[in-house]
Amino acid sequence: MHGPGYGPPQPRPSGAGAIVLRVLFAMLPLVSIGMLSWAALLRLAIVTRRGAHWALFWAQLAVFVFFFSFIVAAPDENDWRMDVGMMGLLALAVASTAYFLYADIRHAAQAPFVVHPFGQYGAPAGYGPPHIPGTTAPQFGPYVNPYADTPVPSQPPAPVPPQPHAPAAPRIEQVRAELDELSQYLRKGTEGEAR
């Protein structure tokens, strides 16, 4: 069964927008004292789409639940479990912020900046780049650079030989003969006026 397939890639924020998002997700774990430390790694996993980042997100979420259970199990705020839970959450917030900044900046630096001739999403399916007759066109094939332009010869199209007519009904033949007669009469009339 045929479906629409994958959608076009979403535009990545660039310039000030990317910096604002990076700062927001870097500050989120620290400001929330580790409670939202999973949000930065979730964004990183969604943006990079790497399996390692998804595994790191789920591992970090499990560690968060582990340390948060210490805080919930503490009978009062002076208990050792509260101290262990808070130190673990703060360490998790610092570690997730540091890794998020490292991986997000590295991912942004490796992302290629490609300008498509058809705009942001490239050509529609089944269509190639635009071509103007008499100019150069990209040549595709095995062992050929698809971006190398070679001149395209501009020759007039070859004349198409007339197709033989299939035998027609007698009425069509009669109409054709009358039209030929009429066209000859009109030619004679315009030739006589031109002289």
Side-chain angles (χ1 to χ4, degrees), residues 92-103:
L92 191 62
V94 170
S96 65
T97 299
Y99 185 76
F100 169 75
L101 286 174
Y102 164 75

Side-chain angles (χ1 to χ4, degrees), residues 63-126:
V63 171
F64 165 74
V65 169
F66 175 75
F67 284 122
F68 190 71
S69 66
F70 271 92
I71 295 172
V72 171
D76 63 353
E77 59 188 42
N78 294 326
D79 191 43
W80 66 272
R81 290 175 279 196
M82 179 68 81
D83 295 337
V84 169
M86 285 307 296
M87 285 190 293
L89 284 182
L90 287 173
L92 191 62
V94 170
S96 65
T97 299
Y99 185 76
F100 169 75
L101 286 174
Y102 164 75
D104 193 45
I105 291 171
R106 185 174 175 204
H107 175 72
Q110 289 177 349
F113 182 72
V114 178
V115 177
H116 294 284
F118 281 95
Q120 181 177 358
Y121 300 117

Side-chain angles (χ1 to χ4, degrees), residues 13 32-33 40 47 94 97 101-102 112 131-132 171 173 177 181 188:
S32 68
I33 310 172
V47 168
V94 170
T97 299
L101 286 174
Y102 164 75
H131 174 67
I132 301 169
R171 173 75 179 137
E173 290 296 326
E181 211 175 291
K188 287 180 185 176

Side-chain angles (χ1 to χ4, degrees), residues 125-160:
Y127 293 95
H131 174 67
I132 301 169
T135 62
T136 59
Q139 300 295 312
F140 297 98
Y143 313 114
V144 176
N145 183 358
Y147 300 107
D149 287 343
T150 58
V152 176
S154 58
Q155 297 176 355
V160 178

Side-chain angles (χ1 to χ4, degrees), residues 3-11 49 121:
Y6 294 112
Q10 298 299 314
R49 298 178 183 173
Y121 300 117

Side-chain angles (χ1 to χ4, degrees), residues 163-183:
Q163 297 293 328
H165 294 291
R171 173 75 179 137
I172 293 176
E173 290 296 326
Q174 180 185 0
V175 170
R176 185 175 295 147
E178 289 174 358
L179 286 174
D180 288 342
E181 211 175 291
L182 181 61
S183 65

Side-chain angles (χ1 to χ4, degrees), residues 1-7:
M1 183 168 218
H2 298 286
Y6 294 112

